[in-house]
PDB file of all heavy atoms in Angstrom:
ATOM      1  N   GLN A   1      12.948   4.926  -6.932  1.00 92.00           N
ATOM      2  CA  GLN A   1      11.929   5.956  -7.134  1.00 92.00           C
ATOM      3  C   GLN A   1      11.210   6.334  -5.839  1.00 92.00           C
ATOM      4  O   GLN A   1      10.372   7.230  -5.840  1.00 92.00           O
ATOM      5  CB  GLN A   1      10.888   5.471  -8.142  1.00 92.00           C
ATOM      6  CG  GLN A   1      11.390   5.380  -9.571  1.00 92.00           C
ATOM      7  CD  GLN A   1      10.310   4.816 -10.484  1.00 92.00           C
ATOM      8  OE1 GLN A   1       9.971   3.648 -10.405  1.00 92.00           O
ATOM      9  NE2 GLN A   1       9.771   5.656 -11.341  1.00 92.00           N
ATOM     10  N   ILE A   2      11.550   5.687  -4.753  1.00 95.00           N
ATOM     11  CA  ILE A   2      10.906   5.987  -3.481  1.00 95.00           C
ATOM     12  C   ILE A   2      11.081   7.466  -3.138  1.00 95.00           C
ATOM     13  O   ILE A   2      12.110   8.072  -3.468  1.00 95.00           O
ATOM     14  CB  ILE A   2      11.473   5.093  -2.355  1.00 95.00           C
ATOM     15  CG1 ILE A   2      10.649   5.201  -1.077  1.00 95.00           C
ATOM     16  CG2 ILE A   2      12.943   5.424  -2.100  1.00 95.00           C
ATOM     17  CD1 ILE A   2       9.265   4.664  -1.197  1.00 95.00           C
ATOM     18  N   SER A   3      10.098   8.047  -2.494  1.00 96.00           N
ATOM     19  CA  SER A   3      10.144   9.467  -2.144  1.00 96.00           C
ATOM     20  C   SER A   3       9.512   9.689  -0.778  1.00 96.00           C
ATOM     21  O   SER A   3       8.742   8.835  -0.291  1.00 96.00           O
ATOM     22  CB  SER A   3       9.382  10.290  -3.188  1.00 96.00           C
ATOM     23  OG  SER A   3       7.977  10.021  -3.090  1.00 96.00           O
ATOM     24  N   PRO A   4       9.800  10.828  -0.132  1.00 97.00           N
ATOM     25  CA  PRO A   4       9.135  11.131   1.143  1.00 97.00           C
ATOM     26  C   PRO A   4       7.616  11.146   0.999  1.00 97.00           C
ATOM     27  O   PRO A   4       6.904  10.704   1.908  1.00 97.00           O
ATOM     28  CB  PRO A   4       9.675  12.521   1.496  1.00 97.00           C
ATOM     29  CG  PRO A   4      10.988  12.614   0.794  1.00 97.00           C
ATOM     30  CD  PRO A   4      10.804  11.855  -0.485  1.00 97.00           C
ATOM     31  N   LYS A   5       7.115  11.628  -0.128  1.00 97.00           N
ATOM     32  CA  LYS A   5       5.668  11.684  -0.353  1.00 97.00           C
ATOM     33  C   LYS A   5       5.052  10.289  -0.332  1.00 97.00           C
ATOM     34  O   LYS A   5       3.999  10.066   0.286  1.00 97.00           O
ATOM     35  CB  LYS A   5       5.378  12.370  -1.691  1.00 97.00           C
ATOM     36  CG  LYS A   5       3.903  12.544  -2.021  1.00 97.00           C
ATOM     37  CD  LYS A   5       3.745  13.361  -3.309  1.00 97.00           C
ATOM     38  CE  LYS A   5       2.275  13.605  -3.634  1.00 97.00           C
ATOM     39  NZ  LYS A   5       1.565  12.384  -4.046  1.00 97.00           N
ATOM     40  N   ILE A   6       5.694   9.337  -1.008  1.00 97.00           N
ATOM     41  CA  ILE A   6       5.197   7.962  -1.026  1.00 97.00           C
ATOM     42  C   ILE A   6       5.187   7.386   0.388  1.00 97.00           C
ATOM     43  O   ILE A   6       4.208   6.772   0.823  1.00 97.00           O
ATOM     44  CB  ILE A   6       6.068   7.086  -1.947  1.00 97.00           C
ATOM     45  CG1 ILE A   6       5.860   7.492  -3.413  1.00 97.00           C
ATOM     46  CG2 ILE A   6       5.742   5.599  -1.762  1.00 97.00           C
ATOM     47  CD1 ILE A   6       6.848   6.840  -4.365  1.00 97.00           C
ATOM     48  N   ILE A   7       6.277   7.579   1.112  1.00 98.00           N
ATOM     49  CA  ILE A   7       6.377   7.055   2.474  1.00 98.00           C
ATOM     50  C   ILE A   7       5.284   7.647   3.361  1.00 98.00           C
ATOM     51  O   ILE A   7       4.583   6.928   4.085  1.00 98.00           O
ATOM     52  CB  ILE A   7       7.767   7.342   3.066  1.00 98.00           C
ATOM     53  CG1 ILE A   7       8.850   6.647   2.239  1.00 98.00           C
ATOM     54  CG2 ILE A   7       7.842   6.887   4.526  1.00 98.00           C
ATOM     55  CD1 ILE A   7      10.260   7.061   2.587  1.00 98.00           C
ATOM     56  N   ASN A   8       5.117   8.969   3.291  1.00 98.00           N
ATOM     57  CA  ASN A   8       4.119   9.635   4.133  1.00 98.00           C
ATOM     58  C   ASN A   8       2.698   9.171   3.806  1.00 98.00           C
ATOM     59  O   ASN A   8       1.879   8.979   4.711  1.00 98.00           O
ATOM     60  CB  ASN A   8       4.225  11.156   3.976  1.00 98.00           C
ATOM     61  CG  ASN A   8       5.511  11.710   4.561  1.00 98.00           C
ATOM     62  OD1 ASN A   8       6.201  11.036   5.322  1.00 98.00           O
ATOM     63  ND2 ASN A   8       5.855  12.932   4.192  1.00 98.00           N
ATOM     64  N   GLU A   9       2.403   9.012   2.521  1.00 98.00           N
ATOM     65  CA  GLU A   9       1.065   8.566   2.120  1.00 98.00           C
ATOM     66  C   GLU A   9       0.794   7.145   2.608  1.00 98.00           C
ATOM     67  O   GLU A   9      -0.298   6.845   3.105  1.00 98.00           O
ATOM     68  CB  GLU A   9       0.917   8.639   0.603  1.00 98.00           C
ATOM     69  CG  GLU A   9       0.779  10.060   0.061  1.00 98.00           C
ATOM     70  CD  GLU A   9       0.642  10.098  -1.452  1.00 98.00           C
ATOM     71  OE1 GLU A   9       0.711   9.014  -2.093  1.00 98.00           O
ATOM     72  OE2 GLU A   9       0.464  11.196  -1.987  1.00 98.00           O
ATOM     73  N   ALA A  10       1.792   6.268   2.464  1.00 98.00           N
ATOM     74  CA  ALA A  10       1.618   4.882   2.908  1.00 98.00           C
ATOM     75  C   ALA A  10       1.428   4.816   4.423  1.00 98.00           C
ATOM     76  O   ALA A  10       0.580   4.063   4.917  1.00 98.00           O
ATOM     77  CB  ALA A  10       2.816   4.043   2.483  1.00 98.00           C
ATOM     78  N   ILE A  11       2.195   5.607   5.169  1.00 98.00           N
ATOM     79  CA  ILE A  11       2.059   5.644   6.624  1.00 98.00           C
ATOM     80  C   ILE A  11       0.671   6.142   7.021  1.00 98.00           C
ATOM     81  O   ILE A  11       0.015   5.578   7.917  1.00 98.00           O
ATOM     82  CB  ILE A  11       3.149   6.536   7.244  1.00 98.00           C
ATOM     83  CG1 ILE A  11       4.507   5.838   7.166  1.00 98.00           C
ATOM     84  CG2 ILE A  11       2.814   6.889   8.695  1.00 98.00           C
ATOM     85  CD1 ILE A  11       5.669   6.695   7.610  1.00 98.00           C
ATOM     86  N   GLU A  12       0.195   7.182   6.357  1.00 98.00           N
ATOM     87  CA  GLU A  12      -1.121   7.730   6.679  1.00 98.00           C
ATOM     88  C   GLU A  12      -2.224   6.694   6.465  1.00 98.00           C
ATOM     89  O   GLU A  12      -3.116   6.519   7.311  1.00 98.00           O
ATOM     90  CB  GLU A  12      -1.390   8.968   5.823  1.00 98.00           C
ATOM     91  CG  GLU A  12      -2.705   9.655   6.148  1.00 98.00           C
ATOM     92  CD  GLU A  12      -2.936  10.922   5.347  1.00 98.00           C
ATOM     93  OE1 GLU A  12      -2.078  11.265   4.496  1.00 98.00           O
ATOM     94  OE2 GLU A  12      -3.977  11.566   5.551  1.00 98.00           O
ATOM     95  N   ILE A  13      -2.157   5.979   5.334  1.00 98.00           N
ATOM     96  CA  ILE A  13      -3.154   4.940   5.046  1.00 98.00           C
ATOM     97  C   ILE A  13      -3.057   3.819   6.073  1.00 98.00           C
ATOM     98  O   ILE A  13      -4.071   3.339   6.596  1.00 98.00           O
ATOM     99  CB  ILE A  13      -2.960   4.397   3.620  1.00 98.00           C
ATOM    100  CG1 ILE A  13      -3.318   5.466   2.592  1.00 98.00           C
ATOM    101  CG2 ILE A  13      -3.791   3.147   3.391  1.00 98.00           C
ATOM    102  CD1 ILE A  13      -2.944   5.100   1.166  1.00 98.00           C
ATOM    103  N   PHE A  14      -1.841   3.390   6.372  1.00 98.00           N
ATOM    104  CA  PHE A  14      -1.625   2.297   7.320  1.00 98.00           C
ATOM    105  C   PHE A  14      -2.172   2.652   8.698  1.00 98.00           C
ATOM    106  O   PHE A  14      -2.902   1.859   9.318  1.00 98.00           O
ATOM    107  CB  PHE A  14      -0.131   1.981   7.399  1.00 98.00           C
ATOM    108  CG  PHE A  14       0.214   0.840   8.311  1.00 98.00           C
ATOM    109  CD1 PHE A  14       0.051  -0.473   7.888  1.00 98.00           C
ATOM    110  CD2 PHE A  14       0.711   1.065   9.583  1.00 98.00           C
ATOM    111  CE1 PHE A  14       0.372  -1.537   8.734  1.00 98.00           C
ATOM    112  CE2 PHE A  14       1.041   0.017  10.427  1.00 98.00           C
ATOM    113  CZ  PHE A  14       0.869  -1.288   9.997  1.00 98.00           C
ATOM    114  N   GLU A  15      -1.850   3.837   9.184  1.00 98.00           N
ATOM    115  CA  GLU A  15      -2.279   4.217  10.528  1.00 98.00           C
ATOM    116  C   GLU A  15      -3.787   4.445  10.597  1.00 98.00           C
ATOM    117  O   GLU A  15      -4.397   4.226  11.650  1.00 98.00           O
ATOM    118  CB  GLU A  15      -1.511   5.455  10.994  1.00 98.00           C
ATOM    119  CG  GLU A  15      -0.037   5.179  11.253  1.00 98.00           C
ATOM    120  CD  GLU A  15       0.664   6.283  12.023  1.00 98.00           C
ATOM    121  OE1 GLU A  15       0.053   7.375  12.191  1.00 98.00           O
ATOM    122  OE2 GLU A  15       1.815   6.066  12.466  1.00 98.00           O
ATOM    123  N   SER A  16      -4.399   4.844   9.477  1.00 98.00           N
ATOM    124  CA  SER A  16      -5.848   5.070   9.469  1.00 98.00           C
ATOM    125  C   SER A  16      -6.624   3.758   9.597  1.00 98.00           C
ATOM    126  O   SER A  16      -7.782   3.754  10.003  1.00 98.00           O
ATOM    127  CB  SER A  16      -6.275   5.802   8.189  1.00 98.00           C
ATOM    128  OG  SER A  16      -6.190   4.951   7.063  1.00 98.00           O
ATOM    129  N   ARG A  17      -5.984   2.646   9.260  1.00 98.00           N
ATOM    130  CA  ARG A  17      -6.635   1.330   9.334  1.00 98.00           C
ATOM    131  C   ARG A  17      -5.903   0.409  10.311  1.00 98.00           C
ATOM    132  O   ARG A  17      -6.073  -0.804  10.262  1.00 98.00           O
ATOM    133  CB  ARG A  17      -6.626   0.689   7.929  1.00 98.00           C
ATOM    134  CG  ARG A  17      -7.317   1.502   6.832  1.00 98.00           C
ATOM    135  CD  ARG A  17      -8.814   1.350   6.868  1.00 98.00           C
ATOM    136  NE  ARG A  17      -9.227  -0.014   6.647  1.00 98.00           N
ATOM    137  CZ  ARG A  17      -9.351  -0.576   5.430  1.00 98.00           C
ATOM    138  NH1 ARG A  17      -9.091   0.125   4.342  1.00 98.00           N
ATOM    139  NH2 ARG A  17      -9.762  -1.829   5.318  1.00 98.00           N
ATOM    140  N   TYR A  18      -5.129   0.997  11.195  1.00 98.00           N
ATOM    141  CA  TYR A  18      -4.186   0.246  12.026  1.00 98.00           C
ATOM    142  C   TYR A  18      -4.836  -0.904  12.789  1.00 98.00           C
ATOM    143  O   TYR A  18      -4.263  -1.994  12.881  1.00 98.00           O
ATOM    144  CB  TYR A  18      -3.496   1.196  13.008  1.00 98.00           C
ATOM    145  CG  TYR A  18      -2.343   0.582  13.766  1.00 98.00           C
ATOM    146  CD1 TYR A  18      -1.076   0.505  13.204  1.00 98.00           C
ATOM    147  CD2 TYR A  18      -2.529   0.057  15.057  1.00 98.00           C
ATOM    148  CE1 TYR A  18      -0.014  -0.067  13.889  1.00 98.00           C
ATOM    149  CE2 TYR A  18      -1.470  -0.511  15.744  1.00 98.00           C
ATOM    150  CZ  TYR A  18      -0.220  -0.567  15.154  1.00 98.00           C
ATOM    151  OH  TYR A  18       0.815  -1.139  15.845  1.00 98.00           O
ATOM    152  N   ASN A  19      -6.009  -0.688  13.346  1.00 98.00           N
ATOM    153  CA  ASN A  19      -6.640  -1.701  14.185  1.00 98.00           C
ATOM    154  C   ASN A  19      -7.278  -2.829  13.387  1.00 98.00           C
ATOM    155  O   ASN A  19      -7.688  -3.835  13.969  1.00 98.00           O
ATOM    156  CB  ASN A  19      -7.695  -1.054  15.090  1.00 98.00           C
ATOM    157  CG  ASN A  19      -7.070  -0.127  16.118  1.00 98.00           C
ATOM    158  OD1 ASN A  19      -5.957  -0.363  16.589  1.00 98.00           O
ATOM    159  ND2 ASN A  19      -7.773   0.935  16.466  1.00 98.00           N
ATOM    160  N   GLU A  20      -7.344  -2.675  12.056  1.00 97.00           N
ATOM    161  CA  GLU A  20      -8.004  -3.680  11.221  1.00 97.00           C
ATOM    162  C   GLU A  20      -7.026  -4.613  10.507  1.00 97.00           C
ATOM    163  O   GLU A  20      -7.423  -5.662  10.005  1.00 97.00           O
ATOM    164  CB  GLU A  20      -8.847  -3.001  10.141  1.00 97.00           C
ATOM    165  CG  GLU A  20      -9.831  -1.960  10.617  1.00 97.00           C
ATOM    166  CD  GLU A  20     -10.371  -1.165   9.439  1.00 97.00           C
ATOM    167  OE1 GLU A  20     -10.633  -1.770   8.371  1.00 97.00           O
ATOM    168  OE2 GLU A  20     -10.498   0.062   9.567  1.00 97.00           O
ATOM    169  N   ILE A  21      -5.772  -4.211  10.422  1.00 98.00           N
ATOM    170  CA  ILE A  21      -4.841  -4.893   9.515  1.00 98.00           C
ATOM    171  C   ILE A  21      -3.560  -5.311  10.228  1.00 98.00           C
ATOM    172  O   ILE A  21      -3.279  -4.886  11.355  1.00 98.00           O
ATOM    173  CB  ILE A  21      -4.478  -3.967   8.326  1.00 98.00           C
ATOM    174  CG1 ILE A  21      -3.814  -2.682   8.836  1.00 98.00           C
ATOM    175  CG2 ILE A  21      -5.709  -3.668   7.492  1.00 98.00           C
ATOM    176  CD1 ILE A  21      -3.304  -1.769   7.744  1.00 98.00           C
ATOM    177  N   ASP A  22      -2.791  -6.159   9.534  1.00 98.00           N
ATOM    178  CA  ASP A  22      -1.485  -6.586  10.038  1.00 98.00           C
ATOM    179  C   ASP A  22      -0.333  -5.959   9.258  1.00 98.00           C
ATOM    180  O   ASP A  22       0.784  -5.865   9.770  1.00 98.00           O
ATOM    181  CB  ASP A  22      -1.353  -8.107   9.932  1.00 98.00           C
ATOM    182  CG  ASP A  22      -2.322  -8.830  10.849  1.00 98.00           C
ATOM    183  OD1 ASP A  22      -2.396  -8.472  12.032  1.00 98.00           O
ATOM    184  OD2 ASP A  22      -3.011  -9.750  10.380  1.00 98.00           O
ATOM    185  N   SER A  23      -0.608  -5.568   8.007  1.00 98.00           N
ATOM    186  CA  SER A  23       0.474  -5.076   7.147  1.00 98.00           C
ATOM    187  C   SER A  23      -0.116  -4.295   5.984  1.00 98.00           C
ATOM    188  O   SER A  23      -1.334  -4.262   5.764  1.00 98.00           O
ATOM    189  CB  SER A  23       1.299  -6.248   6.610  1.00 98.00           C
ATOM    190  OG  SER A  23       0.483  -7.102   5.816  1.00 98.00           O
ATOM    191  N   LEU A  24       0.790  -3.676   5.238  1.00 98.00           N
ATOM    192  CA  LEU A  24       0.450  -2.959   4.004  1.00 98.00           C
ATOM    193  C   LEU A  24       1.524  -3.293   2.981  1.00 98.00           C
ATOM    194  O   LEU A  24       2.694  -3.441   3.323  1.00 98.00           O
ATOM    195  CB  LEU A  24       0.389  -1.456   4.262  1.00 98.00           C
ATOM    196  CG  LEU A  24       0.236  -0.501   3.068  1.00 98.00           C
ATOM    197  CD1 LEU A  24      -0.575   0.738   3.470  1.00 98.00           C
ATOM    198  CD2 LEU A  24       1.586  -0.073   2.496  1.00 98.00           C
ATOM    199  N   ARG A  25       1.124  -3.404   1.722  1.00 98.00           N
ATOM    200  CA  ARG A  25       2.091  -3.744   0.671  1.00 98.00           C
ATOM    201  C   ARG A  25       1.771  -2.954  -0.597  1.00 98.00           C
ATOM    202  O   ARG A  25       0.612  -2.877  -1.015  1.00 98.00           O
ATOM    203  CB  ARG A  25       2.037  -5.243   0.392  1.00 98.00           C
ATOM    204  CG  ARG A  25       3.068  -5.740  -0.601  1.00 98.00           C
ATOM    205  CD  ARG A  25       3.303  -7.235  -0.443  1.00 98.00           C
ATOM    206  NE  ARG A  25       3.983  -7.523   0.821  1.00 98.00           N
ATOM    207  CZ  ARG A  25       4.899  -8.474   0.970  1.00 98.00           C
ATOM    208  NH1 ARG A  25       5.250  -9.235  -0.041  1.00 98.00           N
ATOM    209  NH2 ARG A  25       5.481  -8.685   2.137  1.00 98.00           N
ATOM    210  N   SER A  26       2.801  -2.346  -1.208  1.00 97.00           N
ATOM    211  CA  SER A  26       2.576  -1.589  -2.443  1.00 97.00           C
ATOM    212  C   SER A  26       2.473  -2.535  -3.632  1.00 97.00           C
ATOM    213  O   SER A  26       3.214  -3.515  -3.747  1.00 97.00           O
ATOM    214  CB  SER A  26       3.702  -0.575  -2.667  1.00 97.00           C
ATOM    215  OG  SER A  26       4.945  -1.212  -2.845  1.00 97.00           O
ATOM    216  N   VAL A  27       1.527  -2.216  -4.515  1.00 97.00           N
ATOM    217  CA  VAL A  27       1.268  -3.049  -5.685  1.00 97.00           C
ATOM    218  C   VAL A  27       0.983  -2.174  -6.902  1.00 97.00           C
ATOM    219  O   VAL A  27       0.616  -1.008  -6.775  1.00 97.00           O
ATOM    220  CB  VAL A  27       0.062  -3.992  -5.456  1.00 97.00           C
ATOM    221  CG1 VAL A  27       0.367  -5.026  -4.380  1.00 97.00           C
ATOM    222  CG2 VAL A  27      -1.204  -3.204  -5.098  1.00 97.00           C
ATOM    223  N   VAL A  28       1.146  -2.770  -8.084  1.00 96.00           N
ATOM    224  CA  VAL A  28       0.758  -2.129  -9.340  1.00 96.00           C
ATOM    225  C   VAL A  28      -0.112  -3.104 -10.131  1.00 96.00           C
ATOM    226  O   VAL A  28      -0.016  -4.323  -9.961  1.00 96.00           O
ATOM    227  CB  VAL A  28       1.988  -1.717 -10.186  1.00 96.00           C
ATOM    228  CG1 VAL A  28       2.774  -0.615  -9.503  1.00 96.00           C
ATOM    229  CG2 VAL A  28       2.886  -2.922 -10.454  1.00 96.00           C
ATOM    230  N   LYS A  29      -0.966  -2.569 -10.996  1.00 94.00           N
ATOM    231  CA  LYS A  29      -1.794  -3.427 -11.835  1.00 94.00           C
ATOM    232  C   LYS A  29      -0.930  -4.226 -12.796  1.00 94.00           C
ATOM    233  O   LYS A  29       0.102  -3.735 -13.271  1.00 94.00           O
ATOM    234  CB  LYS A  29      -2.777  -2.579 -12.657  1.00 94.00           C
ATOM    235  CG  LYS A  29      -3.950  -2.027 -11.886  1.00 94.00           C
ATOM    236  CD  LYS A  29      -4.885  -1.281 -12.843  1.00 94.00           C
ATOM    237  CE  LYS A  29      -6.097  -0.748 -12.102  1.00 94.00           C
ATOM    238  NZ  LYS A  29      -7.012  -0.020 -13.029  1.00 94.00           N
ATOM    239  N   ILE A  30      -1.360  -5.448 -13.084  1.00 93.00           N
ATOM    240  CA  ILE A  30      -0.700  -6.213 -14.138  1.00 93.00           C
ATOM    241  C   ILE A  30      -1.675  -6.433 -15.284  1.00 93.00           C
ATOM    242  O   ILE A  30      -2.878  -6.527 -15.092  1.00 93.00           O
ATOM    243  CB  ILE A  30      -0.147  -7.558 -13.640  1.00 93.00           C
ATOM    244  CG1 ILE A  30      -1.248  -8.432 -13.024  1.00 93.00           C
ATOM    245  CG2 ILE A  30       0.981  -7.356 -12.662  1.00 93.00           C
ATOM    246  CD1 ILE A  30      -0.786  -9.833 -12.717  1.00 93.00           C
ATOM    247  N   GLU A  31      -1.107  -6.470 -16.492  1.00 91.00           N
ATOM    248  CA  GLU A  31      -1.931  -6.563 -17.688  1.00 91.00           C
ATOM    249  C   GLU A  31      -2.479  -7.964 -17.880  1.00 91.00           C
ATOM    250  O   GLU A  31      -3.641  -8.152 -18.252  1.00 91.00           O
ATOM    251  CB  GLU A  31      -1.065  -6.164 -18.901  1.00 91.00           C
ATOM    252  CG  GLU A  31      -1.861  -5.668 -20.072  1.00 91.00           C
ATOM    253  CD  GLU A  31      -0.943  -5.166 -21.166  1.00 91.00           C
ATOM    254  OE1 GLU A  31      -0.151  -4.247 -20.908  1.00 91.00           O
ATOM    255  OE2 GLU A  31      -1.031  -5.723 -22.266  1.00 91.00           O
ATOM    256  N   LYS A  32      -1.661  -8.977 -17.651  1.00 91.00           N
ATOM    257  CA  LYS A  32      -2.057 -10.361 -17.883  1.00 91.00           C
ATOM    258  C   LYS A  32      -2.625 -10.977 -16.603  1.00 91.00           C
ATOM    259  O   LYS A  32      -2.111 -10.761 -15.511  1.00 91.00           O
ATOM    260  CB  LYS A  32      -0.861 -11.190 -18.362  1.00 91.00           C
ATOM    261  CG  LYS A  32      -0.174 -10.638 -19.605  1.00 91.00           C
ATOM    262  CD  LYS A  32      -1.103 -10.640 -20.809  1.00 91.00           C
ATOM    263  CE  LYS A  32      -0.361 -10.155 -22.057  1.00 91.00           C
ATOM    264  NZ  LYS A  32      -1.245 -10.101 -23.228  1.00 91.00           N
ATOM    265  N   SER A  33      -3.666 -11.751 -16.754  1.00 94.00           N
ATOM    266  CA  SER A  33      -4.295 -12.376 -15.590  1.00 94.00           C
ATOM    267  C   SER A  33      -3.554 -13.653 -15.187  1.00 94.00           C
ATOM    268  O   SER A  33      -3.191 -14.469 -16.038  1.00 94.00           O
ATOM    269  CB  SER A  33      -5.740 -12.733 -15.910  1.00 94.00           C
ATOM    270  OG  SER A  33      -6.301 -13.499 -14.859  1.00 94.00           O
ATOM    271  N   PRO A  34      -3.357 -13.871 -13.874  1.00 95.00           N
ATOM    272  CA  PRO A  34      -2.740 -15.120 -13.419  1.00 95.00           C
ATOM    273  C   PRO A  34      -3.596 -16.347 -13.733  1.00 95.00           C
ATOM    274  O   PRO A  34      -3.093 -17.471 -13.729  1.00 95.00           O
ATOM    275  CB  PRO A  34      -2.587 -14.914 -11.913  1.00 95.00           C
ATOM    276  CG  PRO A  34      -3.549 -13.826 -11.568  1.00 95.00           C
ATOM    277  CD  PRO A  34      -3.637 -12.947 -12.760  1.00 95.00           C
ATOM    278  N   TYR A  35      -4.892 -16.132 -13.998  1.00 94.00           N
ATOM    279  CA  TYR A  35      -5.747 -17.258 -14.387  1.00 94.00           C
ATOM    280  C   TYR A  35      -5.355 -17.827 -15.749  1.00 94.00           C
ATOM    281  O   TYR A  35      -5.728 -18.941 -16.101  1.00 94.00           O
ATOM    282  CB  TYR A  35      -7.213 -16.828 -14.424  1.00 94.00           C
ATOM    283  CG  TYR A  35      -7.814 -16.645 -13.050  1.00 94.00           C
ATOM    284  CD1 TYR A  35      -8.089 -15.371 -12.557  1.00 94.00           C
ATOM    285  CD2 TYR A  35      -8.091 -17.737 -12.240  1.00 94.00           C
ATOM    286  CE1 TYR A  35      -8.640 -15.200 -11.294  1.00 94.00           C
ATOM    287  CE2 TYR A  35      -8.641 -17.580 -10.977  1.00 94.00           C
ATOM    288  CZ  TYR A  35      -8.911 -16.302 -10.515  1.00 94.00           C
ATOM    289  OH  TYR A  35      -9.444 -16.145  -9.269  1.00 94.00           O
TER     290      TYR A  35
END
């Protein structure tokens, strides 16, 4: 399901915080708590 739009959005977010972070990772909400 990857698309150019997803890639471009992730790059934009990553570069906007580049000096603060080491990496970026895509995630989705989960219904059940790991607790």
